Amino acid sequence: MTNTSKRTGLVQDRRTLLTGAATFTLFTPGLTFAASGDLAAVRKAAEAGFDASVKRIQDWIALPSIAAENRDMDKGADYMMALARDAGFQQVEKVPTDGHPGVFATLDVGAKRWMGIYFMYDVKQFDPAEWSSPPLEARIVDKPGFGKVIVGRGAVNQKGPEAAFLAALHALRAAGRKSPVNLVLVCEGEEEIGSPHFHQIVSRPHILAALKRCEGVVIPAGWQSPSNGGVSVNLGAKGIVELELVASGAKWGRGPRTDIHSSEKARVDSPAWRLVQALTTLVTPDGNTPAIDGYFEKVRPLTARERELIGLAAQRMSEADAKRALGVDRWIDDLPWEKALERLASQPTINIEGLVSGYTGPGGKTVLPGRAVAKIDLRLVPNMTMADCVAKLRAHLDKRGFQDIEVNVSGGYDPTETDENSRLIRAELNSYKRLGVETSVYPRLAGSWPGAVFTSAPVGLPAGQFGLGHGSGAHAPNEYYVIESSNPKVEGLVGATMGYVDFLYEIASIR
């Protein structure tokens, strides 16, 4: 099988639609691209660049920048700068912050319109013992039902989709074409710890001025459904607060200052049990609904339009796929599919990411720990704010006598919302429709990204996600990204690359 036939990643019926002049016009993005006849040349360049695109992902995975561990952060920023220059960005700079550095770049081709692109170069931590192949080797393996995939930390979150976007710029240049829009690229290395300093990057005067010229900002994505190839166009995302709650004998004034023998529990207080008692006050007894005083005061209920969109999405999205991907059999309260989707979009959450105290190794070790830590994330919906939620958490604990429990916030940001009628959302929908991709419009992503930095003042832009292709396992072992799809409904790397080309032309021409 030749590289061209093997690696396009596009389903056969879409490929054949490009063989005739009449159908060619139907599947080109916007009037500009339709008139230019460029699509075949760019596709040929993307196919020829497949091996280089794969290696770009693998090399990037091999350099893990992990903000939580302060691991290779400067190297990660330098590598991101090199990737941007290699893709054709003319102005590239490292942007210092009070934390880890970001990257800012522009590609000015003299086009009428500008488009903003958001990248992150950091990844989550990993334990190699949990992986089927080493998480930094980026091995290419056959995954039944999907095809050839790259397995590695950051494969889908976010290096695979981001590399596919860069591949689109490489393909345009290799085909002798310019990008149809000018680009502003803003990158950070702290997304996985809640983007605590990203606002410092965006608020720099020359970066803010560049962003204000843009039609909007997108983060590349690869979320096609394996069952029908469908995607969701999200009109926003939940906000997040990442924090630790810490109980200690030293701060409490009771219990031990260090671990002591567990026999002393008969006469010594336990910081670990104190933390457990504090945690139980934060949620209802089933653990599913926040119970912090005043937590729902600012929560905006779903609008009639949002409920309508969720109802339509429930008809198009596969409940079985969702449960299979999550490894769950039932939703909270055994909710039916549509009600589960409503809850996913509308409810703020308080989640325990991890509990750490005392000895956690093999066997037992009879200690009474002097310190206990709960790693917590709060997911926020409109019109909640990070500052208000942290203040309410602190007040809630204080009111119940837990003044000694430390609240250490590491990062976070507010929820984000984007107008359904903005050019950005309409361009996404137009591109997906033209490419034959089933699309659901959904009120907001249940996960979080720092889109609020773009949608709120002083930037004030539409922001969202766009992309074809598929991957899964973000934050988990065996994270993967499909590069050669055996599923006729899901694009491989070349198909994802061409999706970004289509989208950029759509942004250039949409009215």
Side-chain angles (χ1 to χ4, degrees), residues 20 63 79 103 143 179 199 202 206 233 242 248 256 259 261 267 300 314 486 497 510:
L63 176 63
Y79 197 80
V103 174
K143 188 172 180 64
S179 170
H199 64 282
V202 172
H206 67 297
V233 172
E242 291 203 79
S248 66
D259 292 1
H261 197 280
R267 60 178 180 179
R300 176 177 64 72
S486 63
T497 298
I510 191 170

Side-chain angles (χ1 to χ4, degrees), residues 252-267:
W252 187 16
R254 307 184 68 87
R257 287 175 171 77
T258 61
D259 292 1
I260 61 175
H261 197 280
S262 65
S263 64
E264 295 294 338
K265 183 65 196 80
R267 60 178 180 179

Side-chain angles (χ1 to χ4, degrees), residues 181-443:
V181 293
N182 309 310
L183 297 174
V184 173
L185 179 66
V186 282
C187 318
E188 67 163 321
E190 296 182 328
E191 199 282 338
E192 296 293 13
I193 59 170
S195 304
H197 303 104
F198 185 51
H199 64 282
Q200 294 180 3
I201 297 171
V202 172
S203 62
R204 287 185 174 244
H206 67 297
I207 298 177
L208 179 59
L211 282 168
K212 278 187 167 292
R213 292 182 289 184
C214 294
E215 294 296 317
V217 180
V218 294
I219 176 174
W223 300 336
Q224 279 190 278
S225 165
S227 66
N228 62 8
V231 297
S232 290
V233 172
N234 298 294
L235 302 180
K238 289 185 178 180
I240 191 172
V241 184
E242 291 203 79
L243 58 89
E244 289 183 342
L245 297 182
V246 182
S248 66
K251 188 80 173 179
W252 187 16
R254 307 184 68 87
R257 287 175 171 77
T258 61
D259 292 1
I260 61 175
H261 197 280
S262 65
S263 64
E264 295 294 338
K265 183 65 196 80
R267 60 178 180 179
V268 177
D269 290 302
S270 167
W273 279 116
R274 182 156 180 80
L275 178 61
V276 170
Q277 291 166 351
L279 290 172
T280 60
T281 74
L282 302 182
V283 292
T284 52
D286 61 6
N288 293 331
T289 303
I292 293 174
D293 296 334
Y295 206 64
F296 283 83
E297 285 177 349
K298 295 187 178 182
V299 170
R300 176 177 64 72
L302 291 173
T303 65
R305 175 57 176 162
E306 287 172 335
R307 291 186 184 278
E308 179 184 9
L309 290 173
I310 291 171
L312 293 171
Q315 298 171 29
R316 297 176 181 175
M317 297 166 65
S318 168
E319 181 178 18
D321 274 359
K323 287 182 174 178
R324 189 179 306 113
L326 295 171
V328 302
D329 297 318
R330 302 161 73 175
W331 305 121
I332 284 175
D333 298 329
D334 292 321
L335 292 171
W337 180 224
E338 184 171 336
K339 292 299 181 183
L341 289 175
E342 285 187 2
R343 185 176 176 89
L344 185 65
S346 66
Q347 291 300 297
T349 61
I350 300 175
N351 176 59
I352 299 175
E353 298 175 356
L355 286 170
V356 183
S357 183
Y359 178 72
T360 59
K365 185 179 180 184
T366 51
V367 296
L368 193 169
R371 189 172 185 269
V373 179
K375 293 182 178 292
I376 302 289
D377 64 60
L378 316 176
R379 300 280 177 175
L380 317 181
V381 300
N383 294 318
M384 304 172 82
T385 66
M386 175 180 172
D388 183 62
C389 289
V390 171
K392 284 176 175 172
L393 170 60
R394 179 72 270 171
H396 174 95
L397 292 171
D398 291 349
K399 181 179 177 180
R400 285 155 181 80
F402 293 107
Q403 294 92 340
D404 55 289
I405 300 289
E406 299 173 60
V407 179
N408 300 326
V409 177
S410 58
Y413 37 80
D414 296 342
T416 179
E417 292 189 275
T418 288
D419 188 345
E420 184 179 358
N421 297 311
S422 64
R423 276 182 181 162
L424 176 67
I425 299 301
R426 289 190 289 115
E428 291 187 21
L429 292 171
N430 288 351
S431 284
Y432 286 137
K433 182 178 180 180
R434 184 167 40 251
L435 294 167
V437 177
E438 187 172 321
T439 307
S440 299
V441 180
Y442 196 69

